[in-house]
Amino acid sequence: MHGEYKIPGGKLVVVDLNVADGALRDVVLSGDFFLEPAEALEWMTAALEGLPADTPVETIAARVRDAAAHAELLGITPEGVAEAVRRALQGGAQ
């Protein structure tokens, strides 16, 4: 599944994932944004991996926010990542 979200005034967030047994699997987070430190991408991806596919967008954003608490997100927001996940789960739908 593939979802994209362009942060207003920011960058593009892309999420590719699978759903197995009702949970997010094989999550890949990418886009044209920047993170400091670079390991924050791994932290955010790990926070998404295994989440139930019916997790509310607000909860997804909170998980991403917590995972990136010690990072600087440049051009993206936890809410934008959550929206990209939602779109992936809905087949890329707006």
Side-chain angles (χ1 to χ4, degrees):
M1 300 174 162
H2 178 87
E4 298 182 358
Y5 181 67
K6 171 75 167 71
I7 306 292
K11 302 292 184 177
L12 179 69
V13 178
V14 178
V15 175
D16 291 291
L17 57 85
N18 292 310
V19 174
D21 298 323
L24 307 186
R25 301 284 181 223
D26 306 317
V27 178
V28 177
L29 179 61
S30 61
D32 64 355
F33 54 85
F34 300 96
L35 304 170
E36 184 63 39
E39 293 84 12
L41 186 62
E42 296 171 26
W43 305 339
M44 293 189 300
T45 300
L48 297 173
E49 190 72 30
L51 277 180
D54 61 355
T55 300
V57 173
E58 297 81 11
T59 303
I60 295 170
R63 290 283 300 258
V64 171
R65 184 176 299 102
D66 290 346
H70 300 290
E72 184 176 3
L73 308 179
L74 304 170
I76 65 168
T77 63
E79 293 76 17
V81 174
E83 178 61 21
V85 169
R86 183 194 69 78
R87 289 182 181 192
L89 291 169
Q90 295 182 346
Q94 305 278 328

